[in-house]
Structures are given as C-alpha cells and as structure tokens.
Amino acid sequence: MRAVQKDKPWLFRTYAGHSTAEKSNALYRANLAKGQTGLSVAFDLPTQTGYDSDHELARGEVGKVGVPVCHLGDMRALFHDIPLEEMNTSMTINATAPWLLALYIAVAEEQGADVRNLQGTVQNDIIKEYLSRGTYICPPKPSLRMITDVAAFTADNLPKWNPMNVCSYHLQEAGATPEQELAFALATGIAVLDDLKGKVAAKDFPAMVGRISFFVNAGIRFVTELCKMRAFTELWDDICRDRYGITEEKYRRFRYGVQVNSLGLTEQQPENNVYRILLEMLAVTLSKTARARAVQLPAWNEALGLPRPWDQQWSLRMQQILAYETDLLEYGDLFDGSPVIAAKVEELKDGAREELKTLDAMGGAIAAIEYMKGRLVESNAARIGRIETNETTVVGVNRWQQGEASPLTAGDGSILTVDPAVEQDQIKRLIDWRSGRDAQAVAAALAALREAATSGANIMPASVAAAKAGVTTGEWAGVMRQVHGEYRGPTGVSKNPSNRTEGLDDLREAVNVASGRLGRRLSFLVGKPGLDGHSNGAEQIAARARDCGMAIRYEGIRLTPAEIVSAAAEEQAHVVGLSILSGSHLPLIEEVMARMRAAGLTHVPVVVGGIIPDEDAEQLRAMGVARVYTPKDFELNRIMMDIVTLAAPETLAAE
C-alpha cells in the first residue's frame, strides 16, 4: 500500500511576552521546547505606542500585556540563545513597527546572522489601529508611508520577511460583521499596495504583492468563518489579478495567520472556552484551500487575566493533536463541490464587494477611517443587543448560568500576575542604558532619523543605525511625533441625540426624572486612563448612555488621570466611568481617586470596568470606587440604571 503523503502542518505559535525581556526569553525557549514552531511576540503598551518605560503615560502599564523593549539591550535579552536566522518570528507591532524591526535586524547581525535569511512578520497595520486597537501615534498619511517604507526596505534587504500583516483580527473583536471584516481588511491591503507601487521597481512589485500577508480572526460561527476564509482567498485573488495585473498565481495567494476569537471568551464558566477555541480553530484549518499558514490560540482563561505557561501549553497541545493525531492533513479540500459552502461564500463576497464600493467611492481606506469606525461601533452595539435580548445564546452567560464551580479557577495562582516591582526594575535598566551609551552617537543618529523623516527618504536605514547607536523607543517615536504630529482617532460615538431607543423607554424616563432632580441633564463622563486602546467597551457604554438620554463626554483613549479629572470638573460630571483592560487598573485608579479628592470632587461617584480579579475589585472599592464591572456584566441597561441611581439616589425611590 502506498504511504499517505501528509501536508506540512501550519506554524504553531503562542502569543506571548510579559514582565521583562529576560522572563519572556525564558518563556519563549520553554514554548519552543514544547513543540512550538514559531514565535509570536507580544509587546507592552508603552512599546506599542512609542513611550519609554519611565514616561508618565507608561505608569502601571510596563510589562502588563507584553514585554517592554526600550532599546537594543532589551531586544538582545529577548532573543538570547534563540538563533534568529533559524526562527520564524511574528511581532505584533504597528505604530513602532519600523523601530522594532530595526532592533530585530541589529540583534540578528550581532548574532552573526545573514539578515537576508530572516523569516517572520511585523504586523505593521496602522489602519486597524485607528479602527479598533488604538496603538497609533501619527496621522494616517505619514503612518501609511512608514508601512510602505518597511515593505520597500524588505524588498531589497530581507527577501524572506513579510513586511505587513493586514490585520482583520481586531476588526472582529470590535464587532465587525464577516462582510465588514472582509471589506475593511481588503481595503487596507489595497491602500498599502497603491502606495507601495511608487516605491519599488515595476519588476519587483509582483513579488511584493506576494509578500503581503493577513492576520485574521475566527469566531464561534465556524461554518460562516470557514466560508469567510474561502471568500478572503477568492476576493484577494481577484484584486491581485484585476487591479494590479499579477499573473503569477503564487503571488496572488492569500497567505494568512490567525488567532481565534477572544471577544467570545467568557468570564462565566470559563472552562467552556476550551470548546469555543477548538471550534474556532477548525474554521481556519478544515478547508485545505483556505487553511491558515500559522495559528495561535488564546488560553481558556484569557477573560480572567494573564494566562500561565500551563494554560498556553494547553492551547498548543490542541493544535498538535489536530495536526498530528487526526488524519486532516492527509486529504484534499473537504468542502469543494459543496453547494451550501459555495452559496455562503458567494453571499459573503457580494456583501464585501458592496462595502468595498462604498469605501472606494470615499477615496479608499485612509479617507474612510471615520466611516469605518462608526460602522464598527454600530455593529458591536447590535451584537451586544442580541445577547442582551437572548436572540444570541451564549452558554453560561444568558442561558444555563447555573453550574458547578470550576476547579480550574480555584485557589491562588489560577492566573499569572505581573510583579509590580517589574516596572521599577525596567526603569532602572533603562536609566543605566542611557547613562552607558555614547551620547554623541545617539544625537547624530537621531538627527539622521529626523532628516530621513522630514525629507521623505525611507526611514528604515536611519532606524537601524539608531538602534545600533543605542537610541530608545521613546526617542525614536519622539522624532516621528515631532515631524509628523500626533493624532486622535475618531471614537465612533456621536454626541448627537440618538433615535436608537427601542427597549429603552423605562431607562429614558428614569434619566429624565433624575435630570429633573439634578436641575440639568444627567452628565456622564467616560474615560480611558493610561495606554489601553481596547475601547470597544467604553464606546458601547458611552453610546448606550447617549441613547438613554444622558449628556455624555467621551474623548477616546490614552488620557492621563489629570486630564480625566480636569474634564470631570469642567463638565460638572454627575458620574465618572473609567475603562481599563490592560491590568493597570490599581495604580491608575489610585491616582484618579487621589486627584478627584484634591479637586474637591469626592461627591462624584466613580465606576470602573475591566478585567479585574475579585481581590483587586475589593481594593478599588476601598479607594472609594462606587461600582466595579467585569466582562460578566454584559447587561448594559442594568449598568445604565446603576449610573442613574448613583447620580440621583432618590430617583429609584420615586419610580
């Protein structure tokens, strides 16, 4: 009997990084020893947004959602004893992607690697940052230029490197429908390729088209998600052939990696998340013609906090069992010829094409950022509404809530916590690094970087030189801010009165009664202190409060505690709501509450939402926080009534 020829498995990755470069390096080497075949680096929020660890905005954020990398020494420690020439590394980095790639190149050269052999990806998709994730720095046009600078540089210097991952992952996390995820991601790819055409020789352009990759999401409706991936492959093939004239099939291939959906992971009955992750993985692996080239899975307890190494190992084993124990890789595509699949694929393609026409009429993705942001906020509101009304069933959340307590979450140590001392240790190393470098070399490197950014020259050569000279992440980003300016993206939440009032009559009446008792319209300030850009929850709270008839103020992400307290005083807010999902709630809320007291605003209730363990919630209440909400609090109308009661306690008694 002829031996069965099995396909090569996809890359097994785990999105990881925390605390310090040294601790993250130990985690990477342990994961590789367990059978992981590629690295996926998570950077902390200061690194993602271009701040050094000792910057005011970095307080409480250092090492929380990823690893801090301030300079070449940090990057060197991150990849200690990991031969980069043999590794395939994905770096989830966007606004500072040119800089982190420059540091990676510098470390590879120190290792003696031939940089032309480096393999991996920088995400480098700033457009989705304006729409969903929030780690942008500069305005859209210069940010697009930096994306294509990286791509053009890799064309000449890193021929095996993917210079950009068009990232639809966070679009789905922000509530995108499958059609929106398809269209918004493809429009981003088009914007990049249109700009890149002017930066590479015509003969090299087809190969560069072939090196644009995608990073997608797969939700729980796995048949739809499977069809979405087939639609992605077919639509991208059409775009490459018809818009760019790419004749070679290999350059038109839709190449993508995936992390399956984190939005649907629940705090309630979190052990059920294992099944959700498995089903979502099947959506991107079952269909051979649309199979992911790299898969990374969240951990079952991600809705509770930072996963432990064991939790990440469990997710890795899920991939390995599917790839090595089942017979999936021995067969061709299981769905070719299925009329059900074909019909759904065509339906998704038609919807995506209509959305693409709208974006094209607006001038493309860059011009349509505000429109796309508004559409995502609307879609997310509709998604939450379906859960609230039980139209969408989420097991353990709005049905079958009663169950046995999970032994997996019992006792101390069920999630990983980052030692608060990590931040001060990182800052000390940063100060030592600055004092030990050649100040003249740093000044010259920064001047050359500024000249490149100002003149329009490709910023990558100057960035690599700056990395080798000892420049820090904050200094590199500081030059970009000086030359291009900073940007505040649209929130997607209009202050105008809303006509979306179905099912809100009782709440609107309660707001009216409370406003009458207060002598003016109930004023609710929503703020996001620190660097956390996960704004979906804050947007939905602000939008629902507006729909209930409150006067809202929501200015988006990345505010200091001082700015929030100043806005509360200026607005004469009746209630302040703060959202933090990065784990930095304790130090940031402590500062907000201290500033509220100093400003004479102790009479203004403060409510807080985030991924907050019970013991932290107790500490927040001890600081004076009136209410603490976590992902299990999905009923927005109940939260709205809490706000009314806090603003005017006598309102409920009058009802």
Side-chain angles (χ1 to χ4, degrees):
M1 180 184 293
R2 183 177 62 85
V4 175
Q5 180 64 44
K6 295 184 70 169
D7 290 337
K8 183 180 179 182
W10 52 90
L11 280 171
F12 303 157
R13 284 186 171 137
T14 303
Y15 182 55
H18 66 84
S19 302
T20 66
E22 289 81 4
K23 289 181 183 296
S24 297
N25 171 260
L27 177 62
Y28 295 163
R29 288 188 284 113
N31 285 346
L32 290 169
K34 294 171 184 174
Q36 188 172 300
T37 53
L39 294 177
S40 181
V41 182
F43 296 99
D44 74 355
L45 288 172
T47 305
Q48 292 184 52
T49 50
Y51 294 106
D52 286 333
S53 296
D54 59 352
H55 191 278
E56 175 191 11
L57 277 169
R59 183 174 179 234
E61 306 279 15
V62 176
K64 284 285 172 60
V65 301
V67 57
V69 175
C70 291
H71 46 71
L72 182 61
D74 284 340
M75 190 65 102
R76 189 185 291 144
L78 186 63
F79 293 107
H80 179 66
D81 283 343
I82 298 175
L84 297 186
E85 195 169 357
E86 302 170 15
M87 190 50 52
N88 191 305
T89 304
S90 171
M91 293 191 282
T92 301
I93 197 73
N94 296 284
T96 53
W99 175 243
L100 272 298
L101 179 58
L103 289 170
Y104 190 86
I105 291 168
V107 169
E109 289 183 349
E110 285 185 349
Q111 290 185 355
D114 179 351
V115 297
R116 296 185 65 81
N117 290 331
L118 296 181
Q119 296 184 70
T121 305
V122 275
Q123 193 167 97
N124 202 22
D125 176 2
I126 202 66
I127 295 176
K128 74 96 172 49
E129 296 299 321
Y130 303 127
L131 300 179
S132 52
R133 182 59 186 83
T135 67
Y136 54 79
I137 298 174
C138 298
K141 287 186 178 179
S143 295
L144 178 64
R145 174 195 147 191
M146 283 189 263
I147 292 173
T148 53
D149 275 0
V150 170
F153 178 82
T154 62
D156 293 331
N157 299 278
L158 281 76
K160 297 181 180 180
W161 192 269
N162 297 322
M164 188 208 185
N165 249 175
V166 180
C167 182
S168 73
Y169 174 82
H170 290 96
L171 301 181
Q172 188 179 124
E173 296 288 296
T177 65
E179 293 87 350
Q180 289 170 343
E181 187 180 344
L182 286 163
F184 294 0
L186 293 170
T188 296
I190 289 169
V192 170
L193 290 179
D194 283 354
D195 195 65
L196 182 59
K197 281 189 80 171
K199 292 188 176 182
V200 297
K203 65 179 178 59
D204 296 329
F205 184 69
M208 289 307 299
V209 173
R211 285 167 58 194
I212 298 296
S213 59
F214 288 73
F215 185 70
V216 306
N217 204 327
I220 193 64
R221 293 171 58 81
F222 81 94
V223 176
T224 298
E225 295 295 316
L226 184 152
C227 293
K228 181 190 75 181
M229 297 320 308
R230 290 172 71 98
F232 251 137
T233 65
E234 294 175 21
L235 287 167
W236 184 243
D237 186 76
D238 291 346
I239 289 167
C240 293
R241 184 188 62 244
D242 300 340
R243 187 181 182 99
Y244 299 110
I246 307 301
T247 57
E248 294 185 64
E249 185 179 349
K250 67 177 181 179
Y251 293 145
R252 302 199 308 263
R253 191 173 301 139
F254 184 81
R255 300 176 311 116
Y256 77 100
V258 64
Q259 167 148 333
V260 307
N261 188 276
S262 293
L263 180 65
L265 302 183
T266 64
E267 181 182 4
Q268 303 94 316
Q269 301 179 20
E271 62 278 4
N272 295 338
N273 293 330
V274 174
Y275 304 130
R276 295 184 175 108
I277 293 166
L278 172 61
L279 291 168
E280 290 163 355
M281 177 176 64
L282 293 178
V284 295
T285 53
L286 284 180
S287 177
K288 181 177 179 178
T289 58
R291 183 171 293 150
R293 293 173 62 122
V295 176
Q296 58 191 47
L297 303 179
W300 67 280
N301 56 351
E302 194 171 284
L304 305 178
L306 194 62
R308 301 158 298 183
W310 182 87
D311 306 312
Q312 293 187 329
Q313 174 184 296
W314 200 9
S315 288
L316 173 62
R317 295 293 183 250
M318 194 184 298
Q319 293 200 58
Q320 291 168 326
I321 290 167
L322 178 63
Y324 294 115
E325 293 192 24
T326 77
D327 56 355
L328 174 65
L329 299 180
E330 297 172 15
Y331 293 92
D333 199 290
L334 307 177
F335 301 97
D336 285 349
S338 165
V340 174
I341 296 296
K344 184 62 177 178
V345 170
E346 288 305 313
E347 176 190 324
L348 292 172
K349 287 167 63 177
D350 288 344
R353 287 189 184 110
E354 285 302 308
E355 193 71 75
L356 279 167
K357 284 181 185 176
T358 300
L359 299 177
D360 198 43
M362 291 180 172
I366 293 292
I369 285 170
E370 189 165 352
Y371 163 79
M372 291 190 286
K373 179 66 175 179
R375 292 274 283 157
L376 290 175
V377 172
E378 291 171 2
S379 295
N380 206 14
R383 180 192 68 84
I384 291 171
R386 288 191 295 271
I387 296 173
E388 288 182 297
T389 60
N390 293 331
E391 181 182 342
T392 296
T393 295
V394 182
V395 174
V397 173
N398 60 3
R399 291 190 72 183
W400 306 296
Q401 296 97 327
Q402 301 305 313
E404 301 298 326
S406 171
L408 294 176
T409 59
D412 293 335
S414 59
I415 59 171
L416 184 65
T417 57
V418 175
D419 187 342
V422 159
E423 185 166 326
Q424 290 308 311
D425 290 344
Q426 173 69 13
I427 290 172
K428 181 181 183 303
R429 283 191 297 273
L430 173 61
I431 292 169
D432 291 344
W433 176 267
R434 289 195 191 114
S435 65
R437 62 189 182 172
D438 184 333
Q440 287 186 318
V442 169
L446 288 172
L449 180 65
R450 188 174 294 107
E451 170 60 24
T454 303
S455 68
N458 191 304
I459 62 167
M460 282 304 299
S463 296
V464 174
K468 294 176 179 178
V471 166
T472 69
T473 297
E475 290 165 342
W476 181 91
V479 170
M480 299 303 126
R481 288 183 167 94
Q482 291 165 13
V483 173
H484 302 303
E486 289 199 72
Y487 180 75
R488 289 200 69 79
T491 66
V493 182
S494 169
K495 290 185 179 180
N496 297 328
S498 171
N499 59 5
R500 193 186 300 137
T501 59
E502 185 178 352
L504 299 180
D505 291 345
D506 291 346
L507 270 169
R508 289 175 66 84
E509 178 59 25
V511 170
N512 287 335
V513 170
S515 299
R517 293 180 179 279
L518 293 166
R520 58 188 174 92
R521 182 58 45 186
L522 194 163
S523 174
F524 181 39
L525 172 72
V526 180
K528 282 194 66 64
L531 297 178
D532 172 36
H534 285 104
S535 58
N536 303 331
E539 290 158 2
Q540 294 306 315
I541 289 289
R544 184 65 61 86
R546 174 204 61 197
D547 296 345
C548 289
M550 300 182 199
I552 63 160
R553 178 165 174 174
Y554 172 60
E555 296 180 347
I557 62 172
R558 220 178 298 169
L559 299 172
T560 65
E563 289 171 329
I564 289 171
V565 173
S566 175
E570 177 186 319
E571 205 72 19
Q572 294 185 294
H574 294 114
V575 180
V576 173
L578 305 177
S579 168
I580 308 173
L581 282 87
S582 63
S584 57
H585 41 269
L586 289 177
L588 287 173
I589 300 303
E590 183 178 34
E591 183 177 349
V592 168
M593 299 307 289
R595 289 181 177 275
M596 292 284 282
R597 288 192 295 273
L601 297 176
T602 54
H603 62 287
V604 179
V606 174
V607 300
V608 177
I611 300 176
I612 301 172
D614 290 343
E615 57 269 27
D616 288 5
E618 287 301 316
Q619 290 189 58
L620 292 175
R621 283 188 277 267
M623 294 177 194
V625 171
R627 297 283 192 283
V628 177
Y629 300 103
T630 67
K632 69 177 181 295
D633 299 300
F634 69 96
E635 296 171 306
L636 298 191
N637 287 353
R638 182 175 65 80
I639 296 174
M640 293 301 108
M641 189 55 79
D642 286 351
I643 292 166
V644 171
T645 306
L646 288 169
E650 66 275 19
T651 301
L652 271 185
E655 286 289 292

